[in-house]
Amino acid sequence: MAYTYQQHIGGEWRDALNGATWNVINPATEETIREVPFGDGSDCRAAIEAAHLAFPGWSRTTPYQRSAILKKAADLMRERMDQLAETTTLESGKPLLQARGEWAVAADLFEWFAEEGKRAYGRVVPSRNPARRLSVTRHALGVVGVITAWNFPIYNVARAGAAALAAGCTAVFRPSELTPLTAMEMVAILLEAGMPANVVNLVNGEPASIAREMLENPRCAKIHFTGSQRVGRLLMDGASRTVTRLSLELGGNAPVLIFPDVDLAAVARGAVTAKFRNAGQVCVSPQRFFVHRAIAEQFSAEVAKVASALHLGSGLLPETNVGPLITGRHRDTVEAMVEAARGEGSKIVLGGRRPANLDKGFFFEPTVITGLTARSTLFSQEIFGPVLPIVAFDDTDAAIAQANDTRYGLAAYAWTNDLRVAQRVAEHLEFGLVGINDWSPQATEAPFPGWKESGIGQESGPEGLLEYLETKVISTGVGV
Ligand code: NAD
């Protein structure tokens, strides 16, 4: 399927109606990779209209027909992994290996939801009235708008898209303007896999006016949003007037509790891999390291030693483990947080500044900081950068209370070999994803639930399909 890097609306690759364009930047070089259309609410209106036209046909196909297309798309993603990963690395900066991993998960999501779509079961309910038969059925919601963040240019889009399409919804994707090329490639693959015209649409452009159109256009049944609390709140404000359904996957501030009985060197190695993945720009990134005082100093030294061997650079180079941050502005924010910590009397054990040897690109050194208190800014706000702050703890219950003392509730981690401690921590942490001796608690086949301000709704797993289905009760009178 021939395509260009454009919007896809009503079965055609299109420029923006207003003719505006946007330069997609490589964050490792600060150079323009490509110019793409940059539309607004009017492009979104056309896309919603197209998706609305396609909805009756797509929602009435059988889940088996939808499954065949979604599985074919998964196969194409796996076949073209190298080229797809390169696009994702170019626009997001992440190392190629991580970009490949992200596409592998996207393929898993399409394949898994291709199957799960077949299990949109209803049920028959025994009625209290002998003259009535009650059944409960599930129905595709309609047109879904999908607004996503740049940190996982394909995973964020695929997680909502695979479930929505498997459920029988049609879609208008609005990827981050910082990383639209990856999503454009995904749409091209879906079309090549046999997706009927108009079922998938993609707009790139001005976020507020596109979101307004999605909220105010009654033909858009739901918005899935992955991004910040700030924008999540704006969408909730808008939806309070239109009653548009919302799924919100928002930020995190994950605590990590490390107990003294662990294999310290192994946990330090794992911590470095998990923390500096995607330069820390991960919603489930381990952030607040609470380390038992008996091993805190040794752990800090070990983590700093392992992190000092990380190679910072362009994600296209095979030796790179840590790429740039997404924009200069975002790097400034991370830098300011580290400077604030310096002012709070902490000790920068490693990094803490822009690398002297890289004069282009939005790089920031892998940073390890100790001597903080749980009240420090680096503990209270999501860092979203390559910074690993550590505080020592003495008492398990006090550490759990500090870990829970946040408005975020996405991921949390604990490392211990004591089963009783593990069980207590797992039960008491107020987070949707808890990794016990595991740095990756998220899975395609399990839900991804953000507690507190980390979100509303659950993507992936069986719960992820339900996000795109409405429930209907059919009551049939059968006489007496
Ligand atoms: P952001 O909220 O600034 O942007 C996210 C998306 O919203 C982008 O596409 C952006 O263009 C768009 N947007 C901006 N203003 C908008 C508006 N007024 N109306 C509608 N859309 C608007 O977030 P970000 O900084 O790009 O992404 C990082 C955040 O995303 C972090 O907080 C991270 O934790 C979160 N995140 C969460 C998950 C999850 O699954 N919970 C996954 C990835 C990222």
Side-chain angles (χ1 to χ4, degrees):
M1 159 92 199
Y3 77 99
T4 46
Y5 289 103
Q6 283 174 296
Q7 302 189 107
H8 188 80
I9 300 173
E12 286 173 9
W13 294 98
R14 288 200 206 166
D15 283 330
L17 286 169
N18 64 12
T21 58
W22 171 270
N23 289 340
V24 181
I25 304 292
N26 178 345
T29 62
E30 304 180 34
E31 286 162 0
T32 298
I33 307 166
R34 198 171 276 275
E35 192 179 80
V36 292
F38 196 69
D40 57 25
S42 52
D43 300 85
C44 186
R45 192 170 317 135
I48 292 173
E49 189 57 33
H52 173 70
L53 279 176
F55 179 69
W58 181 246
S59 59
R60 284 175 204 155
T61 54
T62 68
Y64 289 80
Q65 290 168 306
R66 297 197 287 274
S67 173
I69 296 171
L70 297 174
K71 273 194 195 160
K72 170 92 178 133
D75 291 342
L76 290 172
M77 287 174 194
R78 289 180 181 129
E79 272 168 32
R80 298 186 193 157
M81 196 80 88
D82 287 339
Q83 176 250 315
L84 296 168
E86 194 170 317
T87 302
T88 301
T89 289
L90 274 174
E91 63 180 355
S92 71
K94 67 179 61 183
L96 263 179
L97 197 65
Q98 295 178 24
R100 280 181 64 90
E102 199 187 328
W103 273 101
V105 174
D108 288 349
L109 281 160
F110 277 101
E111 185 181 75
W112 195 83
F113 276 110
E115 288 301 322
E116 190 65 9
K118 298 171 186 170
R119 291 185 272 275
Y121 300 130
R123 64 186 192 275
V124 173
V125 180
S127 168
R128 66 179 59 228
N129 181 342
R132 182 192 272 175
R133 298 291 177 268
L134 281 178
S135 56
V136 179
T137 55
R138 306 276 192 193
H139 302 265
L141 266 170
V143 178
V144 177
V146 179
I147 304 177
T148 42
W150 44 267
N151 66 330
F152 286 100
I154 184 59
Y155 168 75
N156 290 342
V157 181
R159 188 174 52 172
L165 293 167
C169 295
T170 55
V172 176
F173 295 104
R174 192 281 177 194
S176 168
E177 66 278 25
L178 302 173
T179 56
L181 306 179
T182 295
M184 289 169 182
E185 298 208 356
M186 181 197 77
V187 166
I189 283 178
L190 287 168
L191 297 171
E192 187 177 335
M195 199 58 84
N198 295 336
V199 171
V200 288
N201 299 269
L202 181 147
V203 293
N204 184 59
E206 211 277 303
S209 87
I210 289 175
R212 196 175 322 117
E213 182 63 31
M214 286 181 182
L215 283 166
E216 290 177 2
N217 190 326
R219 292 184 160 167
C220 182
K222 171 159 189 162
I223 300 175
H224 163 92
F225 174 73
T226 301
S228 64
Q229 266 81 355
R230 180 186 71 83
V231 175
R233 283 193 197 97
L234 288 174
L235 292 173
M236 286 185 84
D237 274 352
S240 73
R241 289 183 288 277
T242 59
V243 200
T244 307
R245 280 155 179 64
L246 290 179
S247 293
L248 302 176
E249 289 285 358
L250 308 178
N253 184 355
V256 184
L257 274 64
I258 301 179
F259 291 87
D261 61 340
V262 297
D263 174 346
L264 192 137
V267 176
R269 278 196 305 279
V272 167
T273 305
K275 172 70 250 182
F276 298 107
R277 178 165 76 106
N278 202 12
Q281 302 167 114
V282 178
C283 54
V284 294
S285 185
Q287 169 161 326
R288 294 175 291 146
F289 281 76
F290 296 96
V291 182
H292 194 278
R293 194 172 304 281
I295 57 163
E297 209 166 303
Q298 204 189 339
F299 180 80
S300 312
E302 189 66 24
V303 152
K305 188 178 93 191
V306 179
S308 67
L310 291 172
H311 197 279
L312 200 61
S314 157
L316 293 177
L317 301 172
E319 65 270 25
T320 296
N321 339 85
V322 183
L325 295 174
I326 189 69
T327 58
R329 200 166 141 217
H330 183 50
R331 184 198 29 205
D332 292 347
T333 308
V334 172
E335 194 171 36
M337 289 172 100
V338 171
E339 287 313 310
R342 247 187 248 277
E344 288 164 1
S346 65
K347 183 170 166 214
I348 311 244
V349 185
L350 181 75
R353 41 181 55 90
R354 302 173 186 207
N357 62 331
L358 294 165
D359 58 346
K360 281 280 177 218
F362 310 124
F363 293 97
F364 196 76
E365 289 177 344
T367 298
V368 178
I369 305 187
T370 59
L372 296 158
T373 69
R375 275 195 207 89
S376 129
T377 325
L378 283 180
F379 262 53
S380 58
Q381 286 177 24
E382 183 179 34
I383 306 173
F384 230 53
V387 181
L388 192 160
I390 298 171
V391 297
F393 77 86
D394 298 290
D395 175 70
T396 302
D397 288 330
I400 293 173
Q402 284 184 338
N404 287 337
D405 186 17
T406 170
R407 299 173 79 153
Y408 297 93
L410 193 53
Y413 307 86
W415 287 82
T416 176
N417 288 313
D418 183 328
L419 182 62
R420 286 166 306 177
V421 172
Q423 194 60 33
R424 182 151 123 233
V425 170
E427 285 174 12
H428 293 180
L429 284 172
E430 295 163 359
F431 295 81
L433 292 161
V434 178
I436 301 292
N437 300 334
D438 182 7
W439 292 113
S440 292
Q442 65 278 11
T444 298
E445 58 277 17
F448 195 98
W451 286 22
K452 302 184 192 169
E453 287 186 20
S454 286
I456 294 181
Q458 301 169 50
E459 302 298 317
S460 78
E463 288 84 351
L465 188 74
L466 297 179
E467 291 289 326
Y468 300 98
L469 294 167
E470 285 281 32
T471 300
K472 183 185 283 183
V473 174
I474 302 174
S475 174
T476 307
V478 292
V480 275

